[in-house]
């Protein structure tokens, strides 16, 4: 495995790192880490499973509403991401990075659909129209759209600037006044382009580009049925979407929930009536492997490896920050900050670990070695080892999840060490260069 990674995976990773578009995307994910970590902390406090007294305390004091606002604002991932991506691409294209970031953000907002709310005034005689931008389109589910808008918008802006398509003011005008004017024409071209895109999709059955992207992604999922092969394919799609920066869980569950919920309810009714629970491929079966072993990718092992075995300063610090959220299945900091997104080294364990665990779990449940989960939990932040014992599957299900959490540490370890060693070498090289500069001084 190490030879394969060293000879095949790492050279491929180096090619990706040398691609300026992909490096700009990866860097953008790193730059949105403060917002992601803030949302993780708010989610953690909001979902602590301490009982009704804790929930009532948060509600009665208004803390629950404040935490909800904090989570909602921090989860506007696409908004922060496209600004960071535009800034990075501005540097790559050798144009003003801040102006490029603003134009990239503008391009996303121009294609984001509005919702319209009717608001009557006090006498009921006049109806006012209020424009609202749905926050769902600016969250993790909108990252892929933001990625496309950011790249195209930044490229068009840089092309226009580099070809001197700009308003040139007299030399007597101060630079602080003339510089912003030079970006007017390029920004107008970007705005016109994305307004055309918005108008073009408005006359189609999709209505907007977001619906088009989701329809094209979700269409293959619609034909899937309630079977184990279908669940494996759904899990594979979920993981691939997360790997490219799309919130795969929401995409897959939004389509498959209708199919998987009916057998889950049947299991629940049988469990409450004291009858045998026999249906394996249900919503909760899928949820065990996409959430309760450290979230998508079964990332429990990676967060533990970082916290315990990291040698580089980068991953030592990152492991300390991500360990507690990771214990509660909050994966965004790791997926976007490690990053897992577009990381070819982590692609193998991220994709294969949940699929292998799902196959093992299915075989164990079909043969009766492990009990089938029957209770449905809406709280996704319950640690997997705890959730396993309260899902209605008894001790056997809890033990299985605990063992899989430990196995994920072993599976992720060799891949993590490659990334850790690369970071360590980069830090050593940086320290050596710093020492040489100090000696010269």
């Amino acid at each position: 495995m190490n030879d394969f990674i060293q000879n095949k995976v790492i050279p491929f990773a180096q090619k990706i790192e040398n691609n300026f578009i992909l490096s700009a995307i990866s860097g953008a994910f790193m730059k949105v880490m403060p917002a992601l970590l803030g949302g993780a902390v708010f989610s953690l406090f909001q979902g602590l499973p301490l009982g009704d007294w804790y929930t009532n305390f948060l509600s009665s004091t208004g803390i629950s509403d404040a935490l909800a606002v904090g989570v909602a604002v921090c989860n506007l991932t696409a908004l922060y991401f496209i600004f960071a991506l535009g800034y990075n691409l501005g540097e790559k294209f050798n144009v003003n990075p801040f102006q490029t970031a603003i134009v990239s953000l503008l391009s996303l907002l121009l294609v984001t659909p509005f919702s319209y709310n009717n608001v009557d005034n006090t006498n009921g005689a006049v109806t006012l129209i209020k424009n609202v931008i749905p926050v769902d389109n600016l969250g993790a589910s909108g990252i892929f759209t933001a990625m496309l808008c950011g790249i195209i918008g930044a490229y068009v802006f840089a092309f226009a600037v580099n070809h001197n398509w700009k308003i040139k003011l007299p030399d007597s005008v101060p630079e602080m006044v003339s510089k912003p004017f030079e970006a007017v024409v390029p920004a107008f071209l970007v705005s016109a382009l994305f307004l055309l895109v918005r108008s073009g999709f408005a006359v189609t059955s999709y209505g907007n580009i977001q619906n088009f992207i989701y329809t094209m992604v979700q269409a293959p999922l619609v034909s899937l049925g309630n079977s184990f092969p279908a669940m494996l394919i759904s899990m594979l799609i979920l993981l691939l979407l997360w790997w490219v920066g799309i919130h795969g869980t929401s995409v897959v569950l939004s389509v498959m929930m209708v199919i998987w919920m009916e057998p889950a309810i049947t299991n629940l009714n049988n469990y409450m009536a004291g009858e045998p629970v026999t249906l394996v491929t249900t919503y909760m079966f899928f949820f065990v492997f996409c959430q309760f072993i450290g979230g998508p990718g079964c990332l429990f092992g990676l967060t533990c490896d970082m916290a315990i075995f990291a040698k580089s300063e980068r991953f030592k610090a990152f492991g300390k920050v991500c360990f507690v959220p990771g214990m509660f299945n909050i994966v965004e900091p790791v997926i976007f900050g490690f990053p897992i997104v577009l990381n070819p080294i982590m692609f193998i364990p991220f994709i294969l670990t949940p699929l292998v665990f799902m196959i093992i779990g299915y075989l164990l449940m079909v043969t009766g070695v492990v009990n089938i989960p029957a209770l449905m939990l809406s709280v996704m932040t319950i640690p997997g080892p705890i959730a396993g014992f309260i899902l209605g599957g008894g001790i056997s299900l809890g033990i299985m999840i605990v063992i899989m959490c430990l196995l994920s540490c072993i599976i992720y370890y060799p891949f993590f060490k490659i990334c850790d060693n690369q970071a360590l070498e980069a830090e050593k090289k940086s320290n050596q260069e710093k020492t040489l500069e100090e000696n010269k001084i």
Side-chain angles (χ1 to χ4, degrees):
M1 178 61 70
N2 286 334
D3 290 340
F4 172 77
I5 294 174
Q6 293 289 342
N7 297 328
K8 300 295 183 181
V9 177
I10 291 181
F12 179 67
Q14 291 173 341
K15 290 182 180 179
I16 288 182
E17 290 175 351
N18 293 331
N19 184 292
F20 75 95
I21 294 291
L22 294 180
S23 64
I25 293 172
S26 178
F29 282 123
M30 295 290 292
K31 287 180 178 178
V32 301
M33 277 299 300
L36 295 173
L37 291 174
V41 172
F42 292 139
S43 296
L44 180 60
F45 282 109
Q46 189 181 38
L48 285 175
L50 299 180
D52 292 339
W53 71 268
Y54 181 73
T55 304
N56 294 334
F57 169 75
L58 294 181
S59 300
S60 61
T61 57
I63 296 177
S64 179
D65 292 337
L67 290 175
V69 171
V71 172
V73 172
C74 290
N75 285 346
L76 298 177
T77 317
L79 206 61
Y80 310 132
F81 168 77
I82 194 170
F83 188 89
L85 177 60
Y87 192 96
N88 289 347
L89 289 174
E91 293 181 329
K92 302 291 184 181
F93 289 133
N94 295 317
V95 296
N96 188 302
F98 186 79
Q99 291 180 346
T100 311
I102 291 294
V103 170
S104 297
L105 176 60
L106 176 64
S107 67
L108 175 63
L109 294 177
L110 286 173
V111 298
T112 300
F114 286 6
S115 62
Y116 302 97
N117 296 334
N118 294 330
V119 181
D120 294 334
N121 66 358
T122 53
N123 57 22
V126 179
T127 299
L128 304 176
I129 302 297
K130 181 181 179 182
N131 295 341
V132 179
I133 298 179
V135 295
D136 290 344
N137 291 320
L138 302 179
S141 60
I143 284 182
F144 189 70
T145 303
M147 194 182 301
L148 293 177
C149 292
I151 293 172
I152 296 172
Y155 180 82
V156 173
F157 179 80
F159 182 87
V161 170
N162 291 330
H163 284 76
N164 291 318
W165 298 352
K166 57 186 179 182
I167 298 175
K168 183 65 176 177
L169 296 180
D171 295 336
S172 59
V173 177
E175 185 177 356
M176 62 179 296
V177 177
S178 63
K179 279 293 182 183
F181 272 91
E182 293 179 357
V184 169
V185 172
F188 173 78
L189 293 175
V190 175
S191 301
L193 172 63
F194 283 94
L195 282 175
L196 286 174
V197 171
R198 182 190 183 100
S199 301
F201 277 101
V203 298
T204 68
S205 59
Y206 300 106
N208 55 71
I209 190 172
Q210 282 88 350
N211 288 341
F212 170 76
I213 291 174
Y214 271 98
T215 300
M216 296 304 292
V217 171
Q218 292 175 351
L221 298 176
V222 175
S223 60
L224 295 176
N226 183 30
S227 65
F228 183 63
M231 282 203 161
L232 279 179
I233 296 172
S234 299
M235 178 64 79
L236 177 60
I237 293 173
L238 178 147
L239 296 168
L240 290 173
L241 291 176
W242 271 108
W243 191 75
V244 298
I246 302 174
H247 198 293
T249 306
S250 64
V251 173
V252 171
L253 291 183
S254 65
V255 176
M256 303 305 295
M257 183 79 76
V258 177
I259 300 173
W260 295 337
M261 188 58 70
E262 183 177 351
I265 294 174
T266 301
N267 279 350
L268 177 62
N269 293 335
N270 290 342
Y271 179 82
M272 299 301 292
E275 299 176 359
V277 176
T278 58
L279 302 177
V280 177
T281 52
T282 69
Y283 164 65
M284 280 314 302
F285 172 81
F286 185 84
F287 212 65
V288 164
F289 301 99
C290 82
Q291 188 63 30
F292 288 132
I293 310 178
C298 298
L299 291 171
F300 179 91
L302 181 58
T303 55
C304 290
D305 289 339
M306 281 194 294
I308 299 172
F309 300 111
K311 299 296 183 183
S312 64
E313 294 300 323
R314 170 188 170 184
F315 286 116
K316 279 183 182 178
F318 193 63
K320 293 177 182 178
V321 171
C322 293
F323 181 73
V324 174
M327 290 290 293
F328 291 86
N329 310 314
I330 299 171
V331 299
E332 282 81 358
V334 177
I335 287 180
F336 297 119
F338 187 91
I340 299 295
V341 173
L342 297 177
N343 187 331
I345 295 176
M346 303 309 296
F347 177 84
I348 295 174
F350 184 75
I351 299 296
L352 291 184
T353 304
L355 295 177
V356 172
F357 283 177
M358 180 177 279
I359 293 172
I360 294 172
Y362 177 77
L363 294 175
L364 291 175
M365 292 179 192
V366 167
T367 56
V369 177
V370 172
N371 293 330
I372 300 170
L375 301 180
M376 289 183 286
L377 296 178
S378 59
V379 181
M380 297 184 294
T381 54
I382 297 178
I386 297 175
F389 291 99
I390 59 177
L391 287 173
I395 296 177
S396 62
L397 179 61
I399 292 175
M400 185 195 77
I401 292 179
V402 170
I403 293 174
M404 287 183 173
C405 286
L406 296 176
L407 286 175
S408 69
C409 298
I410 299 173
I411 294 172
Y412 271 101
Y413 180 79
F415 300 91
F416 161 69
K417 286 306 295 181
I418 290 174
C419 297
D420 189 42
N421 290 336
Q422 289 179 342
L424 188 61
E425 289 298 322
E427 290 170 1
K428 289 180 179 178
K429 183 177 180 180
S430 177
N431 291 334
Q432 290 173 353
E433 292 175 351
K434 184 178 180 180
T435 302
L436 289 174
E437 290 294 329
E438 292 176 350
N439 292 335
K440 289 180 180 179
I441 295 175

